[in-house]
C-alpha cells in the first residue's frame, strides 16, 4: 500500500489563526520592538513606521538602535537595553512611555541561537544565555509594558518559531526556549482578553539572517543539517517577509501568525507528525553520523573523550 503524500495531505488542512477583533489601525500608535537594530526587528520597525506608528527601537547595540531610529526620522526613537537586564528593560519601557505618553504595541523579538552542540557536550553557559535572552527576555520586555497596553487596548506579539515544534537535536536550548515562548504567548492572550487587549504568537521558519548564515551556511556540519531538512522545514524566507507576517498579524490582532505558510498545517498536525518524525530520526544512520562528528568536534573543547559510535548489528 502506498503511503499518502505528506505535502498533499498537509495542504488540505485549514489554519485558523484569525481573530474576530476589528482591525487595529497603526496610525499614531506607539510600538516597542526589541532586537530592532538588525534583521527581522529592523525590517519590522521600518514597516510599522511606514504604516503610521511611532516606533521605539530597542537593541543591545546602541549604534544599531540609533541608526534604525534615524532612518525612521520623527517616527523613530532609539534606546539601548539588554533584554536579560530586568531593571534595565523596566527603565527602557518607562522611558518610552515618558517620550510618547503611551504604548500600544509591544513586539518581543530579540533572540539568539547557541553554538551547535548535543546536550551531553554543550557548555551550560550557552544553555543559560539562550534561555535568558529568548525566554526570560520576553518576560522582561512584556511585563513592564502591560499596564500601558491594557490602557490603550493594544496588542502584544511574542516571537516564537516553528522550531517550537520541530526536532531539536544539536540545538535544544533554542527549541526549548521557543516552545516556552509559545506557551507564554497563549497564556498572555487569554489573560489580556479580560482587559480588552490582545496578544499573539509569531511563528517563523528559517529566516535569511546573519544568524542563519552563520549557523547553517558557513559551517560544514550546519550545511549538512540544512541539506537533510525535509519540506517544509527547508523553506526559507527573508527578514522582510517575516516582518510583513508580524505586522499584518498586529493589524488583524491575530492570535498567531506563521511564515512561511507551509508550516501552518504542520503546526496543526504536529501531535501526530512529531511522533512519527521522532521515531524516524532515532533510526536515521546519517543523522547519527552527523551527531557523532559534532561530538568529536566538541570533545577537545569540553575536555571529554568521545568514542566513535558503534552500532549493534545483531540486535533482534
Amino acid at each position: 500500500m502506498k503511503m499518502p503524500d505528506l505535502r498533499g495531505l498537509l495542504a488540505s488542512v485549514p489554519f485558523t489563526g484569525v481573530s474576530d477583533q476589528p482591525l487595529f489601525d497603526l496610525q499614531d500608535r506607539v510600538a516597542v520592538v526589541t532586537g530592532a537594530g538588525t534583521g527581522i526587528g529592523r525590517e519590522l520597525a521600518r514597516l510599522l513606521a511606514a504604516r503610521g506608528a511611532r516606533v521605539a527601537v530597542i537593541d543591545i547595540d546602541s549604534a544599531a538602535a540609533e541608526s534604525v531610529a534615524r532612518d525612521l526620522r520623527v517616527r523613530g526613537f532609539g534606546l539601548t537595553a539588554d533584554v536579560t537586564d530586568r531593571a534595565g528593560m523596566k527603565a527602557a519601557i518607562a522611558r518610552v512611555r515618558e517620550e510618547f505618553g503611551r504604548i500600544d504595541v509591544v513586539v518581543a523579538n530579540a533572540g539568539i541561537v547557541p553554538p551547535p552542540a548535543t546536550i551531553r557536550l554543550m557548555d551550560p553557559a550557552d544553555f543559560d544565555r539562550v534561555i535568558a535572552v529568548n525566554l526570560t527576555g520576553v518576560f522582561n520586555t512584556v511585563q513592564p509594558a502591560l499596564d500601558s497596553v491594557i490602557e490603550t487596548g493594544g496588542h502584544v506579539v511574542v516571537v516564537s518559531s516553528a522550531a517550537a515544534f520541530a526536532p531539536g537535536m544539536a540545538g535544544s536550548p533554542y527549541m526549548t526556549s521557543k516552545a516556552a515562548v509559545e506557551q507564554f504567548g497563549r497564556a498572555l492572550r487569554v489573560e489580556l482578553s479580560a482587559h480588552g487587549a490582545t496578544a499573539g504568537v509569531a511563528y517563523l521558519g528559517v529566516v535569511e539572517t546573519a544568524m542563519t548564515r552563520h549557523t547553517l551556511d558557513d559551517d560544514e556540519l550546519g550545511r549538512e543539517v540544512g541539506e537533510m531538512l525535509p519540506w517544509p522545514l527547508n523553506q526559507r524566507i527573508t527578514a522582510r517577509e517575516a516582518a510583513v507576517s508580524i505586522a499584518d498579524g498586529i493589524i488583524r490582532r491575530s492570535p498567531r501568525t506563521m511564515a512561511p505558510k507551509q508550516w501552518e498545517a504542520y503546526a496543526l498536525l504536529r501531535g501526530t507528525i512529531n511522533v512519527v518524525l521522532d521515531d524516524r530520526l532515532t533510526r536515521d544512520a546519517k543523522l547519527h553520523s552527523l551527531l557523532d562528528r559534532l561530538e568529536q568536534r566538541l570533545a577537545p573543547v569540553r575536555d571529554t573523550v568521545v568514542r566513535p559510535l558503534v552500532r549493534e548489528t545483531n540486535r533482534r
Side-chain angles (χ1 to χ4, degrees):
M1 179 179 177
K2 185 178 179 180
M3 292 292 289
D5 177 65
L6 180 61
R7 187 189 297 255
L9 181 64
L10 293 180
S12 67
V13 180
F15 184 74
T16 55
V18 179
S19 171
D20 58 1
Q21 298 277 347
L23 294 180
F24 189 61
D25 186 0
L26 288 174
Q27 187 65 43
D28 294 327
R29 298 281 190 170
V30 175
V32 173
V33 183
T34 61
T38 59
I40 299 166
R42 177 175 59 196
E43 294 297 327
L44 179 60
R46 290 170 174 169
L47 270 175
L48 295 178
R51 296 182 184 192
R54 292 171 289 176
V55 185
V57 177
I58 299 181
D59 200 279
I60 194 172
D61 184 333
S62 58
E66 291 298 334
S67 175
V68 174
R70 282 195 302 271
D71 288 346
L72 303 184
R73 301 180 185 275
V74 296
R75 294 201 169 276
F77 179 56
L79 283 168
T80 305
D82 182 344
V83 296
T84 68
D85 179 357
R86 184 161 294 158
M89 283 304 300
K90 184 176 181 179
I93 294 298
R95 183 72 183 88
V96 175
R97 178 64 186 259
E98 177 185 323
E99 177 72 17
F100 293 116
R102 60 188 293 155
I103 295 175
D104 302 274
V105 176
V106 177
V107 182
N109 167 72
I112 60 172
V113 297
T118 60
I119 293 172
R120 181 165 72 117
L121 293 184
M122 75 173 55
D123 185 341
D126 289 337
F127 184 93
D128 291 344
R129 176 64 177 165
V130 171
I131 297 300
V133 174
N134 294 5
L135 176 56
T136 308
V138 169
F139 176 86
N140 293 344
T141 299
V142 170
Q143 194 199 41
L146 287 181
D147 285 344
S148 294
V149 170
I150 289 171
E151 182 181 319
T152 61
H155 186 75
V156 176
V157 179
V158 295
V159 178
S160 179
S161 171
F165 43 85
M169 57 282 175
S172 59
Y174 184 79
M175 280 66 169
T176 300
S177 69
K178 291 303 185 179
V181 166
E182 175 187 39
Q183 295 303 318
F184 181 91
R186 291 177 62 195
L188 184 63
R189 182 169 184 83
V190 175
E191 292 173 3
L192 288 182
S193 66
H195 299 282
T198 52
V201 181
Y203 300 89
L204 302 174
V206 181
V207 183
E208 288 282 8
T209 62
M211 188 167 67
T212 297
R213 289 189 290 273
H214 177 72
T215 304
L216 291 180
D217 299 334
D218 297 339
D219 179 84
E220 179 184 356
L221 296 181
R223 286 194 298 274
E224 287 192 45
V225 170
E227 291 169 0
M228 290 176 63
L229 293 175
W231 180 93
L233 279 67
N234 61 357
Q235 300 297 296
R236 294 194 182 190
I237 57 174
T238 65
R240 176 76 175 185
E241 289 170 323
V244 167
S245 173
I246 296 171
D248 287 350
I250 293 171
I251 291 172
R252 296 193 304 266
R253 292 185 183 268
S254 298
R256 55 200 164 273
T257 57
M258 190 81 61
K261 292 291 186 181
Q262 290 93 332
W263 279 95
E264 291 178 349
Y266 188 159
L268 289 178
L269 294 174
R270 62 176 125 162
T272 299
I273 292 174
N274 282 347
V275 171
V276 177
L277 183 58
D278 289 354
D279 180 69
R280 296 280 179 87
L281 292 173
T282 63
R283 303 168 188 270
D284 191 318
K286 185 176 180 180
L287 176 59
H288 292 166
S289 173
L290 190 152
L291 292 173
D292 181 38
R293 283 180 285 138
L294 175 59
E295 291 203 332
Q296 294 292 340
R297 175 197 286 182
L298 294 170
V301 178
R302 301 295 297 148
D303 194 24
T304 302
V305 176
V306 178
R307 296 178 181 177
L309 297 175
V310 178
R311 300 289 166 215
E312 295 182 29
T313 58
N314 60 347
R315 181 182 295 173
R316 296 183 181 275

